[in-house]
Amino acid sequence: MISVQTADFDIAKLYQQMSNNQLNPNGYGAVVTFVGKVRDFNQQQQIGAMTLEHYPGMTEKSLEAIVEQTKARWPIGEPIIIHRVGELAPGDQIVYIGVVSAHRKAAFEACEFLIDYLKIKAPFWKKEQTETGYQWVDARENDTTAADRWSQGNH
Amino acid sequence: MLTIVFFAQTRELVACDNIELEFNSSLSALETIRSQLASKGDKWDLALQQDKLLVAVNQEMSPWDTVIKDGDEVAFFPPVTGG
């Protein structure tokens, strides 16, 4: 399940949805979830607020493609990806990734792969409000490095 | 007709979300589209000559040598920063 939304999400409900209903019936002994939140400072600057922009249509398609890639590589159930857009404040939840598998190793790895690829492939852009005004967040080199390691077969 | 869309810093610099271009065969090269748009003014030039500028064709990240055809949607934007 993929959702790009302005609304917040409830991880307890998502956990139930992932592990306890027809989305992933039985047999999965491992559930791994990741939540990304808005930091209150970034690059030595205090953050007052954040705006998340996205490319409607392409965002959903790119997330579906990342999910397909993940499912081709690890024996996982149907993952849940939720990404918020619009106005957010420090401490707010931004992204949820939930993965189920029979055993923990595949679930941990698939969850990490999903967030690593989302960060370099999905068309979202963050703009932060600091003391000196609004500024777009720069892409980080180490996000590319994090995603690259999955293509080197050394995990 | 080509639909050109912009996001994030790129959108702010060119001060518009999208424009349409009448298609002709010279616009089948992304570099021609890019330089034609860059010639619209200083801000357009600044936005479109960024080293790290990315391009998506029909909502898929695409290499700069992708061949464009009439009716395509071409998007220009900076490296993504979600998650």
Side-chain angles (χ1 to χ4, degrees):
Chain A
M1 189 192 95
I2 289 165
S3 175
V4 178
Q5 61 189 47
T6 54
D8 199 7
F9 50 81
D10 178 342
I11 60 169
K13 280 190 189 141
L14 290 166
Y15 175 80
Q16 289 301 324
Q17 200 177 335
M18 296 203 47
S19 54
N20 234 347
N21 79 354
Q22 65 270 44
L23 187 64
N24 284 303
N26 307 327
Y28 291 111
V31 181
V32 171
T33 64
F34 171 80
V35 175
K37 297 175 68 179
V38 181
R39 272 186 292 271
D40 62 358
F41 68 94
N42 198 9
Q43 289 156 355
Q44 280 84 50
Q45 284 197 295
Q46 199 73 27
I47 305 304
M50 175 182 279
T51 307
L52 258 148
E53 176 171 333
H54 78 301
Y55 185 171
M58 178 174 168
T59 310
E60 291 81 356
K61 277 194 221 171
S62 68
L63 293 175
E64 280 160 21
I66 297 166
V67 165
E68 286 317 305
Q69 247 182 302
T70 313
K71 286 162 82 177
R73 189 155 170 179
W74 287 276
I76 59 167
E78 200 54 50
I80 294 181
I81 300 182
I82 294 179
H83 203 298
R84 294 177 70 195
V85 292
E87 301 291 327
L88 298 172
D92 281 354
Q93 304 184 121
I94 305 174
V95 60
Y96 174 91
I97 309 236
V99 178
V100 296
S101 187
H103 300 285
R104 71 182 183 283
K105 191 166 189 292
F108 272 122
E109 287 182 359
C111 186
E112 214 176 349
F113 178 88
L114 282 167
I115 186 65
D116 283 352
Y117 269 61
L118 180 152
K119 275 185 150 324
I120 60 155
K121 303 253 188 206
F124 293 103
W125 299 273
K126 289 179 182 141
K127 192 181 191 183
E128 293 171 340
Q129 188 188 23
T130 67
E131 288 144 4
T132 52
Y134 269 101
Q135 61 187 38
W136 291 96
V137 174
D138 279 330
R140 291 167 177 233
E141 196 61 45
N142 61 7
D143 285 337
T144 308
T145 316
D148 278 351
R149 84 201 140 109
W150 296 106
S151 53
Q152 289 160 5
N154 59 355
H155 61 279
Chain B
M1 199 69 84
L2 295 177
T3 303
I4 315 289
V5 293
F6 308 100
F7 290 95
Q9 295 102 309
T10 315
R11 174 180 56 74
E12 284 189 348
L13 278 167
V14 303
C16 81
D17 297 346
N18 63 83
I19 59 165
E20 296 209 317
L21 291 182
E22 194 69 54
F23 184 78
N24 66 63
S25 56
S26 75
L27 294 182
S28 62
L30 279 169
E31 285 298 348
T32 315
I33 297 175
R34 166 145 97 162
S35 56
Q36 183 170 319
L37 293 170
S39 70
K40 285 169 72 76
D42 289 350
K43 291 278 178 69
W44 289 77
D45 188 57
L46 183 62
L48 292 156
Q49 299 304 335
Q50 302 279 332
D51 286 348
K52 292 180 176 168
L53 191 72
L54 298 178
V55 61
V57 178
N58 298 327
Q59 305 194 347
E60 254 182 63
M61 292 266 209
S62 301
W64 283 96
D65 60 1
T66 304
V67 176
I68 303 304
K69 47 190 197 319
D70 198 7
D72 282 351
E73 176 174 301
V74 178
F76 295 104
F77 47 76
V80 301
T81 55

